[in-house]
Amino acid sequence: MKEKGFFGPKYPMRRASSRPQPDRGGPAAARRGWKQGLRSLLNLRSAAGQVFALQVGIVLLLVAAAVTALVVQANRGSEREAARLSLAAAEMFANAPGTAEALEGPNPTAVLQPRAEAAWKRAGVDFVLVMNTDGIRLTYPDPAQIGKKFVGTIEPALEGRTVVERAGGPPLPAGVGTAVQAVVPVFGADGSVVGLVSAGITVENVGDLVERQLPIIIGTGAAALVLSTAGTALVSRRLRRQTHGLGPAEMTRMYEHHDAVLHAVREGVLIIDAEGRVLLANKEACRLLDLPADAEWRRVVDLGLDGETAALLASGESVTDAVRLVGDRLLAVNKRPTAPYGGQAGSVVTLRDTTELAAVTGRAQSARERLKLLYDAGARMGTTLDVTRTAEELAEVSVPQFADVVTVELLEPVLRGEEPPEASTEMRRTASLGLEGNHSLYPVGELVRFAPTHPVAAAVISGRAVLQADLSTADGWGAHDPEHVQRVLDQGLHSLLVVPMRARGALLGVADFWRAGASAPFEDQDKEFAEELAARAAVAIDNARRYTREHTMAVTLQRSLLPRGVPEQNALDVAYRYLPAQAGVGGDWFDVIPLSGARVALVVGDVVGHGLHAAATMGRLRTAVHNFSTLDMPPEELLSRLDELVAHIDANETADDMHDGDGITGATCLYAVYDPVSGRVASATAGHLGPAVVHSDGTVDFPQLTVSPPLGLSASFPFESTELVLPEGSRLVLYTDGLVEDRDRDLDTGLEILRDALTGTGRTPEDTCSAVMEALVPARPTDDIALLVARTRRLDPAKVAHWEVPRDPSAVAPIRAACARRLADWGLEEIGFATELVLSELLTNAIRYGADPITVRLLHDRTLICEVSDASSTSPHPRRAKTTDEGGRGLFLVAQYSERWGTRYTPAGKVIWAEQSLHGPPEPAGLPDDALLDQWSDDTL
């Protein structure tokens, strides 16, 4: 077991003095500390001093051996260098040009002596001499030695080899004694040896080379000694700190005492470092925590302890008498950090077995579980604003943590979102959990009438929880239906706790908690917890009930304000979809409005926001669009009028009137008018997304419209319309932003998905709506969605008649005759007379009061449409003529013989139109034939 390195020696023998200490700062204190440290290192009684002395001795031996080896190596290297220089100088001179010729000449000494002197000076050797094959010197640094015998070995050289040796000779200018010399042959032209050359360095000069290297070698050795001694001092100083200056005997005795105390004490001790590793664990700690044998130097979290205990031991926080259940033992845990007491960062943990506190801990654990259950209930109940789902969540939270079976009964009006009525024992079972398959309890959805003796009735009357600890011995609760009660008991249910659920003082229902089988019966202490749980569920159910009521009211209002169907018309084949948001109804709407001249207006709009106010605002704007459309306004003018209306309403709204916090500001609208005669679509938008056009070949286009600000924000900016010509069979798609925008995708992505869903040919509007909704609508839409798909039709040109009329009263009769012929061609002779009366009146007014050009157009559609246009902007108005008036009854006749009539203005003037049923004219009420004939002069007829 490792007993040092983290906290130093355990249980040190000496303690620091408690007397006041002098100032430890300043140079003098630093010098005193250094001297004390040096003395402690030189104290051979301590482990640190002994280690220091041993290491210094070893270092001295190593440095001496290294210096000796370097000297020997340097000496040998110097001799090798001398031999190399000598051999190089000898070979260079022997092979020099003219050396062999001079040896064969009459006076070789005269020629070679100057050359030899110059050669040994340049080559860095002490001598270069030349000899003949008999070994007689021909040159020498000392001229007196010329002609004498060479001292050395020449036989190998005479055979053509090179000789390197140490030999003596006569004195030289560079010194005396033995020299390192090389002897090489000189070859003649025929390859024979004609002489010898020797070069060398005296041994004295070789020693000079070694002496020049000795300072470096000795200096290096001294530096190595100093560094090694310094390193040894540092190591010994650290050892002194860790051993606190103790000697080996003292350390042995201290560790013996440490082991005896640590393992004999009946309290668990753990030492844990800052990284959560166990540095020490005595036997008692291993027993209490059931630690493995190799627990030391392993992380606490890897020892198999439960998560809370491991987290407590690994944390750096101090703990005092924390009771922790480990296995079947209750341990009192105390934990203190070691850093304030001179150790490294870590903790010392002591464990004491307190199993006798099991009863107290059991109650604390039960309370903790109850608190956790209440916390989970608060987090899990009320996640959806649905009454039934909230009741089911109450059952899911309670089973099996608190009860084996839970049933919930709610009053019928609460399920519908209505205000709770007076307390009643007639309730509908809303949730049930805990019993599988066939069981004896009433099924979910059944209306249950509880008898006055039933615990539910008692709880409703008292307003408090009612406990039946043992159902088999309870009196009265099963008297109304003994067989049912017996089936309940046979199922194993033996204990019941009924808790009324009340919110804002009103009863919403009851929650029944059942226990079965081996579960302990309910006790009085369970009643308070069950009441708290039911109270939280009641708040969530009441919130869901109120939301249900508000949502139902808003949806009802919204659907009552939306169109119930598509009006009959022949210009467009229309299909639509409308889907309210899950979070609450909004202000999206759509409309299909038939207009004069067989035209049809398509409208989509969106009021920003949700709730009743948005739905009511939507209804107001839809009504305004209907009213403005009856005036046959162009799209841009209609939006201008609607913008003024919204601005006026916003100006009159106050914060107190807007209960949901949203005004009308931000409403958008797209208004498009389709003319089946020309195939033109005139569209204008107020902040709304433009339509999509699916051409007959299946391609999809998003026409660029001039976008104006939303309604109420235009600030007098003019609205503009855009005209398109659509071939027959094209599909015009109008939609609100809820279709293409969502929290999980942006607008561009939504438009691309819409394009893909619309692409294709041969689809009906209904098929198109289905494909678009399937591709784009999320599971829980966050905004209302309105979709309108209209496939265009063209009016047969054969059912359109058109005449230019000169401004002359006499032109009325020919036009009337031509009209009668055209009606005959169409098979409409039955309404010919009425049509002639209407046409004559409208045409006469145009000739008298209008301006050129004047035109007449007949359209054979679902009705017969007669249109008279002129360049004047003056509109006729019907009035009640006096009996003495000669005129003033023409428009009255038009109204009597037409289903409807009116005026629409165009950039070139106005159009007065009248529609007649194809099944015959209506009977004029109280108007004799003579009165009708009196309306026209003889010239007109």
Side-chain angles (χ1 to χ4, degrees):
M1 179 182 296
K2 188 170 183 179
E3 301 292 340
K4 63 186 181 67
F6 183 73
F7 294 104
K10 314 306 186 285
Y11 306 104
M13 301 297 293
R14 293 188 292 270
R15 297 175 56 89
S17 174
S18 60
R19 292 176 297 175
Q21 298 295 321
D23 183 12
R24 298 175 182 267
R31 287 193 297 272
R32 287 196 301 271
W34 179 82
K35 291 179 180 179
Q36 292 176 358
L38 181 60
R39 284 197 300 271
S40 65
L41 288 180
L42 298 178
N43 182 11
L44 297 182
R45 294 184 58 187
S46 66
Q50 295 176 7
V51 171
F52 177 75
L54 178 62
Q55 289 182 336
V56 168
I58 293 174
V59 168
L60 286 174
L61 291 177
L62 292 177
V63 170
V67 169
T68 302
L70 289 174
V71 169
V72 173
Q73 181 68 20
N75 193 11
R76 292 180 178 178
S78 298
E79 289 188 5
R80 287 195 296 270
E81 180 66 14
R84 184 186 67 80
L85 291 175
S86 300
L87 181 61
E91 289 182 344
M92 178 184 66
F93 193 86
N95 296 321
T99 301
E101 292 78 0
L103 285 172
E104 296 175 350
N107 190 3
T109 299
V111 176
L112 296 177
Q113 178 67 16
R115 294 182 182 180
E117 291 180 359
W120 66 261
K121 291 180 181 179
R122 288 196 303 270
V125 294
D126 292 339
F127 65 89
V128 174
L129 64 89
V130 183
M131 67 191 82
N132 58 20
T133 56
D134 295 328
I136 302 302
R137 300 187 185 98
L138 301 178
T139 66
Y140 200 73
D142 184 5
Q145 300 297 324
I146 296 174
K148 296 182 178 181
K149 187 71 173 181
F150 172 73
V151 180
T153 304
I154 63 173
E155 289 76 8
L158 293 174
E159 297 176 358
R161 300 196 301 273
T162 298
V163 179
V164 178
E165 63 180 351
R166 298 184 64 171
L172 297 172
V176 297
T178 305
V180 177
Q181 62 186 11
V183 180
V184 299
V186 178
F187 296 97
D190 57 355
S192 62
V193 177
V194 297
L196 303 174
V197 176
S198 175
I201 301 176
T202 62
V203 175
E204 181 181 356
N205 289 339
V206 172
D208 291 341
L209 295 177
V210 176
E211 291 175 0
R212 287 197 297 268
Q213 295 181 12
L214 280 178
I216 298 176
I217 295 173
I218 295 175
T220 302
L225 178 61
V226 171
L227 292 176
S228 299
T229 304
T232 302
L234 292 177
V235 173
S236 299
R237 183 180 179 185
R238 181 172 181 82
L239 180 62
R240 179 182 61 82
R241 289 180 180 178
Q242 292 186 343
T243 60
H244 290 258
L246 298 177
E250 292 176 320
M251 293 176 61
T252 301
R253 184 172 61 255
M254 182 194 66
Y255 281 112
E256 290 175 350
H257 293 170
H258 160 268
D259 289 340
V261 173
L262 184 66
H263 296 292
V265 67
R266 300 307 298 170
E267 190 171 88
V269 178
L270 291 172
I271 298 178
I272 303 173
D273 66 6
E275 298 180 358
R277 290 191 301 266
V278 177
L279 301 181
L280 183 144
N282 68 351
K283 294 180 180 179
E284 184 67 10
C286 294
R287 184 184 70 84
L288 294 176
L289 296 177
D290 195 18
L291 298 180
D294 59 345
E296 293 184 354
W297 295 102
R298 291 177 60 183
R299 295 179 61 86
V300 175
V301 295
D302 299 332
L303 297 179
L305 302 174
D306 63 275
E308 294 184 358
T309 302
L312 176 66
L313 297 179
S315 67
E317 300 178 357
S318 299
V319 177
T320 302
D321 290 333
V323 178
R324 185 67 56 189
L325 180 62
V326 179
D328 57 349
R329 300 184 182 91
L330 281 175
L331 303 181
V333 181
N334 288 275
K335 185 178 180 183
R336 293 292 183 271
T338 59
Y341 305 101
Q344 298 183 11
S347 303
V348 175
V349 181
T350 59
L351 307 170
R352 187 171 65 256
D353 192 352
T354 58
T355 308
E356 65 273 9
L357 300 177
V360 176
T361 303
R363 289 194 294 271
Q365 180 70 12
S366 177
R368 186 179 67 84
E369 291 176 354
R370 294 289 173 85
L371 289 175
K372 184 176 183 299
L373 182 57
L374 286 177
Y375 173 80
D376 293 341
R380 294 174 58 183
M381 289 190 303
T383 56
T384 61
L385 293 175
D386 182 82
V387 175
T388 301
R389 179 56 191 154
T390 304
E392 293 172 350
E393 290 170 343
L394 170 60
E396 292 171 357
V397 167
S398 305
V399 176
Q401 291 87 344
F402 180 66
D404 298 313
V405 179
V406 173
T407 58
V408 180
E409 293 84 31
L410 297 178
L411 296 172
E412 191 76 15
V414 174
L415 291 171
R416 297 193 298 265
E418 301 174 3
E419 286 294 332
E422 294 295 331
S424 172
T425 58
E426 183 176 287
M427 304 179 189
R428 189 171 298 277
R429 179 147 292 174
T430 309
S432 177
L433 185 65
L435 290 177
E436 301 293 338
N438 296 327
H439 56 81
S440 57
L441 299 181
Y442 296 112
V444 174
E446 182 171 339
L447 186 64
V448 184
R449 296 177 178 84
F450 295 99
T453 58
H454 197 281
V456 171
V460 170
I461 295 172
S462 65
R464 302 290 297 174
V466 174
L467 171 63
Q468 293 286 352
D470 188 356
L471 292 176
S472 61
T473 61
D475 297 332
W477 80 283
H480 66 288
D481 192 354
E483 295 181 0
H484 175 73
V485 172
Q486 188 60 44
R487 290 195 301 270
V488 171
L489 295 176
D490 293 342
Q491 194 114 19
L493 301 175
H494 59 76
S495 186
L496 171 64
L497 182 58
V498 180
V499 184
M501 293 187 293
R502 307 179 68 88
R504 297 182 296 113
L507 178 70
L508 304 178
V510 295
D512 310 322
F513 301 94
W514 308 75
R515 285 186 179 175
S519 300
F522 287 111
E523 300 177 355
D524 289 336
Q525 62 183 6
D526 295 321
K527 293 171 61 176
E528 184 177 352
F529 171 76
E531 288 178 342
E532 177 65 24
L533 189 62
R536 298 193 179 195
V539 173
I541 290 175
D542 188 56
N543 289 338
R545 178 197 62 79
R546 297 172 66 183
Y547 170 78
T548 301
R549 181 189 61 183
E550 299 258 343
H551 185 71
T552 302
M553 291 173 57
V555 169
T556 302
L557 173 62
Q558 185 185 42
R559 294 194 180 280
S560 67
L561 296 175
L562 288 171
R564 301 298 179 89
V566 178
E568 295 182 356
Q569 42 80 35
N570 290 339
L572 298 169
D573 183 10
V574 179
Y576 64 90
R577 294 289 188 276
Y578 184 84
L579 184 64
Q582 293 290 331
V585 297
D588 291 16
W589 88 91
F590 67 93
D591 250 322
V592 179
I593 306 172
L595 302 177
S596 64
R599 297 171 304 133
V600 177
L602 301 176
V603 188
V604 289
D606 183 7
V607 177
V608 177
H610 295 87
L612 290 175
H613 185 76
T617 300
M618 176 269 292
R620 297 164 75 178
L621 295 184
R622 179 171 177 256
T623 302
V625 171
H626 267 275
N627 292 337
F628 290 145
S629 66
T630 59
L631 302 178
D632 268 330
M633 295 179 179
E636 68 275 12
E637 185 177 347
L638 184 141
L639 290 183
S640 296
R641 297 288 185 90
L642 194 62
D643 178 66
E644 293 175 2
L645 173 64
V646 172
H648 177 72
I649 294 175
D650 275 343
N652 294 330
E653 290 281 1
T654 61
D656 294 336
D657 297 329
M658 296 182 290
H659 299 291
D660 60 358
D662 293 325
I664 305 177
T665 301
T668 63
C669 183
L670 171 62
Y671 186 82
V673 177
Y674 174 68
D675 185 357
V677 177
S678 62
R680 292 182 178 274
V681 177
S683 305
T685 177
H688 201 86
L689 294 173
V693 176
V694 185
H695 299 283
S696 56
D697 60 355
T699 60
V700 180
D701 186 22
F702 293 94
Q704 295 294 325
L705 303 184
T706 302
V707 181
S708 299
L711 299 173
L713 299 177
S714 64
S716 302
F717 284 104
F719 291 86
E720 298 182 22
S721 65
T722 303
E723 286 194 357
L724 304 172
V725 178
L726 299 181
E728 186 172 9
S730 301
R731 282 170 285 168
L732 188 64
V733 182
L734 284 69
Y735 50 90
T736 56
D737 58 355
L739 180 68
V740 293
E741 283 187 305
D742 189 70
R743 65 184 60 179
D744 297 328
R745 64 167 179 257
D746 56 20
L747 178 60
D748 293 336
T749 302
L751 290 176
E752 287 302 318
I753 298 175
L754 176 61
R755 182 192 298 274
D756 295 339
L758 292 174
T759 301
T761 59
R763 289 181 181 173
T764 64
E766 280 291 337
D767 296 338
T768 303
C769 287
S770 299
V772 170
M773 297 296 281
E774 181 179 356
L776 286 164
V777 176
R780 293 182 60 84
T782 58
D783 195 5
D784 291 3
I785 295 174
L787 174 65
L788 194 61
V789 179
R791 183 169 58 188
T792 60
R793 298 173 181 165
R794 285 290 187 92
L795 189 61
D796 189 353
K799 294 186 176 182
V800 179
H802 184 272
W803 297 277
E804 298 287 341
V805 181
R807 193 176 180 187
D808 184 355
S810 62
V812 175
I815 296 300
R816 190 171 60 245
C819 175
R821 290 191 298 271
R822 182 55 62 92
L823 292 178
D825 295 340
W826 291 342
L828 302 177
E829 297 91 342
E830 183 181 355
I831 61 173
F833 177 72
T835 304
E836 290 184 40
L837 289 178
V838 172
L839 180 60
S840 296
E841 176 58 28
L842 298 180
L843 191 54
T844 300
N845 282 339
I847 292 173
R848 287 182 179 178
Y849 308 110
D852 290 330
I854 300 172
T855 60
V856 173
R857 187 172 71 164
L858 292 180
L859 303 177
H860 181 195
D861 193 32
R862 300 178 62 87
T863 60
L864 180 65
I865 303 171
C866 179
E867 296 181 344
V868 177
S869 62
D870 66 83
S872 173
S873 60
T874 302
S875 176
H877 297 282
R879 65 184 179 87
R880 184 175 295 276
K882 299 179 181 180
T883 56
T884 58
D885 291 343
E886 295 182 359
R889 301 176 179 84
L891 293 180
F892 176 73
L893 292 175
V894 172
Q896 289 293 322
Y897 283 97
S898 302
E899 289 188 342
R900 61 190 189 122
W901 73 280
T903 304
R904 71 172 180 269
Y905 294 93
T906 65
K910 67 176 181 299
V911 176
I912 303 176
W913 55 270
E915 291 185 4
Q916 296 174 259
S917 174
L918 301 180
H919 306 294
E923 291 291 337
L927 191 63
D929 293 340
D930 293 341
L932 293 175
L933 295 176
D934 289 341
Q935 303 303 316
W936 287 275
S937 64
D938 293 338
D939 294 336
T940 303
L941 296 174

